[in-house]
Amino acid sequence: MRQLIVRRLLQTVPLLFFVSVVCFFMIKLAPGDPVLSFVTPNMHAEDIERVRHNLGLDKPAYIQYFIWLKELLQGNFGYSLTNHQPVLDQILERLPATAGLMGSAIALAVLLAIPLGLLAGANRNRWVDKLINFISYIGISVPLFWLAILMIYLFAIKLHWLPSMGMRTIGVESTADVIKHGVLPCTVLAFGFLTSYVRYIRSSTIGQLKEEYVQIQYAFGASKTTVLFRHVMKHVLLPVITLLGMSMGDLVAGAIVTETVFSWPGIGSLGMTAVRGMDYPVIMGITLFSSLMLIIGNLAADILYSFVDPRIKLTR
């Protein structure tokens, strides 16, 4: 296991380097010019070029990349081109908001997906399975931003039950107020995760119910509920662990569109602002941070595999 962890950590370095190269040059190929954010109608061409030189954008793209990479290796993620604040400080400042929102949404989705997926798989082609599948298909088909707007219209505008945007009410510093503001975005994100999780768990449950150990448990007189939640669920956890590992990147990057719709002050809305302003240091910082968390999530999933299924550890 120790060799696995060391090997995966060593593979992280070239992988992050590849991600940084692709992301940097894709930003450079994208239309737009960050200098335009500083241009005013009274500025002359010489002033515009001076701004470009001060921002370091007058050099070739590959030189800009190596300058950025050199600063990164020294622990400096750079400074934002729009507000001139350190990129890492901005990411860490918004990380708790995104991690809290995404963590709550993923946890809620998993807690609901496990019993729903087991129930659908155990009642294959029955009305319960068809109903859960119908809801899952709706969740897969409906864009989350449309669902977010619909919930804002229903629960915030029409019913006045919940706030429509922001993380706090001005002048109110309480946990209950934060939870109240997070209900709508958390529900939207949890619904998006839930539909995917249910499909995976349902498929795994159907496969596990065909295994011999299930028939043996029935032969010993075990009830269907006991077999389902005591024996089958252990094997169903494997795809759930995979999905959780893949979701680690979302804990950092967050749901960009959802955070923007609800004006949630997380990393997702920071990334959207950076994209609109062509603020490539912020974009690069968020991309690398998300990639690193995704790699760590996959590594954690591999480690958890050995605890959930000892056969994997013996094979390795």
Side-chain angles (χ1 to χ4, degrees), residues 235 238 304-316:
H235 300 275
L238 288 177
L304 288 175
Y305 280 159
S306 62
F307 291 100
V308 176
D309 193 348
R311 294 173 300 176
I312 297 177
K313 183 177 182 180
L314 292 176
T315 302
R316 287 177 176 167

Side-chain angles (χ1 to χ4, degrees), residues 28 32-39 51-52 55 57 81-82 277-280:
K28 291 299 179 180
D33 188 356
V35 178
L36 297 179
S37 302
F38 301 91
V39 174
V51 172
R52 189 182 304 276
L55 295 176
L57 301 177
L81 297 180
T82 56
M278 291 295 295
D279 195 349
Y280 75 85

Side-chain angles (χ1 to χ4, degrees), residues 2 26 28 52 68 70 93 116 118 151 167 195 205 227 273:
R2 184 179 302 173
M26 285 184 66
K28 291 299 179 180
R52 189 182 304 276
W68 173 85
K70 179 182 177 182
E93 181 183 358
L116 289 177
L118 290 171
M151 295 191 69
M167 185 176 174
T195 53
T205 302
V227 171
T273 303

Side-chain angles (χ1 to χ4, degrees), residues 132-245:
I132 295 176
N133 275 332
F134 177 72
I135 297 174
S136 299
Y137 288 136
I138 292 177
I140 295 173
S141 305
V142 173
L144 290 184
F145 74 89
W146 182 86
L147 179 62
I149 295 174
L150 183 64
M151 295 191 69
I152 289 175
Y153 177 77
L154 178 62
F155 293 101
I157 298 178
K158 285 294 184 181
L159 299 177
H160 302 286
W161 288 356
L162 297 168
S164 61
M165 62 178 61
M167 185 176 174
R168 295 180 183 274
T169 303
I170 298 177
V172 179
E173 298 290 337
S174 65
T175 305
D177 183 64
V178 176
I179 295 175
K180 187 176 180 180
H181 279 78
V183 169
L184 288 182
C186 181
T187 303
V188 171
L189 292 172
F191 185 69
F193 287 116
L194 175 66
T195 53
S196 300
Y197 291 177
V198 167
R199 299 290 296 169
Y200 278 97
I201 295 173
R202 174 187 178 273
S203 177
S204 181
T205 302
I206 293 174
Q208 290 297 321
L209 289 176
K210 298 178 182 178
E211 297 292 333
E212 293 183 358
Y213 74 89
V214 174
Q215 304 304 324
I216 293 175
Q217 292 297 326
Y218 283 139
F220 278 102
S223 64
K224 186 175 182 180
T225 303
T226 302
V227 171
L228 199 62
F229 287 94
R230 181 174 296 181
H231 302 284
V232 174
M233 188 173 68
K234 295 179 181 179
H235 300 275
V236 170
L237 289 177
L238 288 177
V240 175
I241 293 174
T242 303
L243 295 173
L244 290 177

Side-chain angles (χ1 to χ4, degrees), residues 8-10 17 26 38 50 71 82 104-105 137 169 210 255 275 285 312:
R8 292 289 295 272
L9 291 177
L10 291 177
F17 174 74
M26 285 184 66
F38 301 91
R50 189 179 299 111
E71 295 294 329
T82 56
S104 301
Y137 288 136
T169 303
K210 298 178 182 178
V275 170
I312 297 177

Side-chain angles (χ1 to χ4, degrees), residues 24-25 28 56-71 280:
F24 189 90
F25 286 98
K28 291 299 179 180
L57 301 177
D58 57 338
K59 299 178 178 64
Y62 68 92
I63 295 180
Q64 295 182 39
Y65 173 77
F66 284 116
I67 293 175
W68 173 85
L69 183 62
K70 179 182 177 182
E71 295 294 329
Y280 75 85

